[in-house]
Amino acid sequence: MKAIITAATLAMTAAVGLLQAAPAQADLLADIRERGTITAATEMHYAPFDMLKDGEYQGIGRDLFDAVAKELGVKVEYIDLPWSSILPGLEAGKFDIVNAPVTMTAERMSRYHFTLPIGNATVALAKRVDNDAIIKPEDIAGLTVGGQKGSAQLEQLKTFSEGLGEPATVREYVNIDEALADLAAGRIQAVANSMPLMGYAAVQRPELFALVEPPFGDPKYFGWVVRGDDETASLIEAVNAALLKLHEDGMLAAINEKWLGANAELPTEMPAVE
């Protein structure tokens, strides 16, 4: 009997030791608060969300994420990367969060944790203001249209084009600035991207660009993303709480008014995504 008790006691002692030695579950928000800084990656060529003006990072994404970071009680280190390297960089753990506007799709939501919507991602077209041949989206049939490589809007453009009597020729660009430059030069006839982005281009350069209405495709939204693992759950919860506060106190509306001239009507719950 004594031997049995001794063995049991040793087993319990070993188990307690293992529990004490096991590392606590990693928590990204706790790490961020401990170091006092959150690293956020975006592509600074996506006005009005993210852009460089005179070497300074500006836009909806900057203003909104600065406000969220203030609620979290940390400073922000922003990283400027090509869009094609942002999501792979997130998965590799090179930064904490993507504050680029990422379109919510079912495939992406299965891989990443999204925040609440921070912008409208429904796809629309911009054309040259002197192009009277394009009045509605269907008028791009047989024309050459630009889109951003790797974007959800590019895939929607391709799907829409395939349903036309004569599909458009779709030209892919690394960033939208390049596509708009080709549109201004007459090398392509339209550019497809999110409605806020195309509208902003038309407002900023009305002598060159015009928005083609209505937008086409299913309504979509932008969100920010973090890695899709358990370590990021508390960070997403904290960011969403900050975004809800910015909805309630009017800061989100003020930021949109500043950059778009109107308040974007955004859901305060996660939208259904197909």
Side-chain angles (χ1 to χ4, degrees):
M1 185 67 174
K2 183 177 179 181
I4 295 172
I5 293 173
T6 302
T9 302
L10 288 173
M12 290 178 65
T13 302
V16 170
L18 286 172
L19 288 171
Q20 291 176 338
Q25 183 176 354
D27 185 286
L28 182 57
L29 178 61
D31 292 343
I32 289 166
R33 284 181 166 154
E34 183 176 352
R35 66 178 183 256
T37 304
I38 184 169
T39 55
T42 189
E43 179 194 45
M44 298 178 189
H45 299 277
Y46 202 76
F49 288 94
D50 304 284
M51 55 190 159
L52 284 172
K53 297 188 75 172
D54 300 322
E56 181 185 357
Y57 173 34
Q58 300 181 17
I60 294 172
R62 173 67 188 270
D63 288 355
L64 187 55
F65 201 80
D66 277 354
V68 167
K70 184 177 180 181
E71 293 296 323
L72 298 181
V74 297
K75 297 179 180 179
V76 190
E77 178 186 342
Y78 290 106
I79 302 171
D80 182 17
L81 294 172
W83 167 247
S84 59
S85 67
I86 287 178
L87 294 180
L90 178 70
E91 293 179 4
K94 294 183 178 180
F95 34 83
D96 300 317
I97 190 168
V98 173
N99 78 304
V102 182
T103 305
M104 295 178 171
T105 66
E107 190 276 332
R108 285 174 176 167
M109 293 185 85
S110 70
R111 296 179 62 182
Y112 310 107
H113 292 323
F114 271 82
T115 66
L116 291 170
I118 56 92
N120 187 325
T122 306
V123 66
L125 294 165
K127 66 170 186 174
R128 280 178 56 115
V129 72
D130 58 0
N131 186 342
D132 296 329
I134 301 177
I135 305 301
K136 57 187 184 300
E138 289 78 8
D139 294 334
I140 63 170
L143 303 181
T144 302
V145 183
Q148 185 174 22
K149 187 178 297 185
S151 69
Q153 286 76 21
L154 178 67
E155 297 309 310
Q156 292 178 71
L157 170 63
K158 290 178 178 179
T159 300
F160 178 76
S161 173
E162 289 166 1
L164 300 175
E166 182 182 359
T169 298
V170 177
R171 188 172 296 174
E172 299 184 18
Y173 292 84
V174 173
N175 62 61
I176 287 299
D177 289 350
E178 294 177 359
L180 290 171
D182 269 7
L183 177 60
R187 287 186 282 267
I188 58 178
Q189 284 74 57
V191 173
N193 210 277
S194 70
M195 186 168 58
L197 180 60
M198 297 296 89
Y200 181 80
V203 168
Q204 292 297 304
R205 303 185 71 182
E207 76 286 359
L208 269 180
F209 304 130
L211 180 68
V212 179
E213 296 189 82
F216 59 91
D218 297 330
K220 299 287 185 182
Y221 294 99
F222 289 127
W224 297 327
V225 295
V226 298
R227 296 190 307 275
D229 53 46
D230 293 339
E231 295 179 19
T232 62
S234 60
L235 176 59
I236 280 290
E237 184 178 345
V239 171
N240 282 342
L243 287 171
L244 286 173
K245 183 176 184 296
L246 297 175
H247 269 278
E248 293 167 1
D249 66 14
M251 176 66 78
L252 181 59
I255 291 171
N256 278 287
E257 287 279 357
K258 172 184 174 181
W259 292 103
L260 298 174
N263 179 26
E265 296 295 331
L266 299 173
T268 55
E269 296 181 352
M270 291 300 291
V273 176
E274 297 180 358

